[in-house]
Amino acid sequence: MADNPDIEALTPYARSLGIKLADWEDGVPVLCVEFVEAVEGRPEHFHGGATGGLLETAGYAALRAELARIEREAVLKPINITVQYLAAGKSQTSFAKGRITKLGRRSANLTVEAWQEDRSRPIATAVMNVLMAKTEG
Amino acid sequence: MSQQAAFDPKTATPFLTSRGHPGWLGMRYSDHGDDWVELELPWREDLLGEEGQHVLASGPILSLMDMASGLAIWKAMDRFEAIATLDLRVDYVRPARDGAAVFGRSQCYRITRSAAFVRGLAHDGDADDPVAHIQAVFMKIGGDPKRELPGG
């Protein structure tokens, strides 16, 4: 198996929210966030915004990992994201992993899944498009 | 017969954003109408999307719009009722300006027995020049109507 790329998977926002790198699976980062007050919405449940932030961060992390693997430099800019909330996020650790559906020249399409204790029952999924702008200079 | 408004976004927002995720983000009440609510997300250095670039991450905008949408729905229903986000789409049309607070304005344009539909925008000072557009559907989750407000 290839070495996991040395990427900055977490943005300042993601670190501030408490998102961590949990694991690597076949070169793809799996992120997690523990249930702390910063992610709480209604009592004892994840806030939809926090779950969305985790999904989005996992999507970017998957894309950064792939770009690092193929030694391609790009500045990532969000185009859009659609989040589907499938089940309430309970007061336990949430995980998320992204998958690149299409890596184009200018944009990438990703699907991301978030789950808690039972990976076969995701709590939320997302589809996102990311613009890959050329790096300056 | 006139009835006193049962849900006031201006008084509910400080309560709803006093703790939890909205409290962590530091969202504040900005404005509201009959079926819309606008919240403010003050600028914060630790909410940046990329190291070395002074651009707000997209995640907080998602949270801001989710929260503003919930408040818009309660305002449109004129009462608090437990709801859950079913689907939320955000189009990021341009980056927010460096150091600028971001405002999230959401309007509830339709409520059915089981769902509420919203659309809205995020801007950094000029609502005619948005940074993002959103569309979302929330489900009423019923249950115990006496349940307290989130964050309560």
Side-chain angles (χ1 to χ4, degrees):
Chain A
M1 201 175 101
D3 288 341
N4 297 319
D6 181 23
I7 57 156
E8 190 51 80
L10 303 175
T11 60
Y13 154 75
R15 281 196 299 270
S16 184
L17 187 60
I19 298 174
K20 294 177 190 138
L21 179 64
D23 204 359
W24 286 87
E25 290 177 353
D26 301 326
V28 182
V30 177
L31 304 189
C32 71
V33 61
E34 285 169 32
F35 187 80
V36 291
E37 197 189 323
V39 301
E40 190 172 18
R42 66 192 164 94
E44 300 301 310
H45 289 83
F46 267 75
H47 190 279
T51 306
L54 173 66
L55 284 164
E56 201 167 44
T57 303
Y60 281 109
L63 182 55
R64 276 181 221 285
E66 177 61 13
L67 292 176
R69 193 185 66 80
I70 61 175
E71 295 179 354
R72 182 169 153 189
E73 282 190 16
V75 177
L76 306 184
K77 296 181 175 178
I79 297 173
N80 61 16
I81 181 167
T82 305
V83 183
Q84 311 289 326
Y85 294 94
L86 308 171
K90 300 193 183 90
S91 55
Q92 49 192 259
T93 303
S94 290
F95 300 87
K97 183 185 176 186
R99 188 173 74 85
I100 299 170
T101 320
K102 188 203 165 167
L103 186 66
R105 251 168 15 95
R106 301 185 59 211
S107 69
N109 181 276
L110 297 111
T111 54
V112 196
E113 224 168 85
W115 68 93
Q116 292 190 316
E117 81 280 8
D118 183 356
R119 195 165 181 170
S120 68
R121 296 187 57 196
I123 59 164
T125 62
V127 179
M128 50 197 283
N129 288 291
V130 179
L131 182 70
M132 297 175 292
K134 288 201 169 63
T135 49
E136 309 252 326
Chain B
M1 207 165 72
S2 74
Q3 198 185 349
Q4 206 181 352
F7 184 81
D8 178 10
K10 192 173 182 175
T11 52
T13 303
F15 179 63
L16 290 161
T17 60
S18 65
R19 57 182 301 282
H21 187 64
W24 173 76
L25 279 172
M27 291 183 227
R28 297 198 289 239
Y29 168 85
S30 169
D31 201 359
H32 80 271
D34 287 344
D35 61 354
W36 62 271
V37 173
E38 184 179 271
L39 298 180
E40 178 189 355
L41 177 65
W43 169 259
R44 240 174 69 184
E45 198 77 31
D46 64 337
L47 296 183
L48 296 181
E50 207 149 355
E51 209 79 66
Q53 284 192 49
H54 271 247
V55 178
L56 180 73
S58 39
I61 294 178
L62 199 76
S63 299
L64 174 71
M65 298 315 300
D66 186 77
M67 197 70 206
S69 298
L71 283 156
I73 291 165
W74 294 322
K75 179 66 190 116
M77 297 194 298
D78 208 18
R79 69 172 186 282
F80 178 82
E81 186 179 323
I83 51 172
T85 322
L86 182 68
D87 171 296
L88 171 61
R89 177 198 172 106
V90 186
D91 289 310
Y92 300 103
V93 296
R94 68 168 177 86
R97 286 197 319 272
D98 182 7
V102 175
F103 298 84
R105 186 185 295 185
S106 193
Q107 179 205 14
C108 175
Y109 63 91
R110 173 85 177 139
I111 296 174
T112 69
R113 202 174 306 176
S114 50
F117 300 82
V118 298
R119 58 186 163 221
L121 57 86
H123 66 89
D124 53 5
D126 178 4
D128 291 330
D129 184 21
V131 299
H133 290 267
I134 71 115
Q135 200 164 319
V137 183
F138 286 67
M139 292 299 287
K140 296 179 181 175
I141 51 180
D144 182 2
K146 293 195 292 281
R147 190 187 184 106
E148 285 187 15
L149 291 170

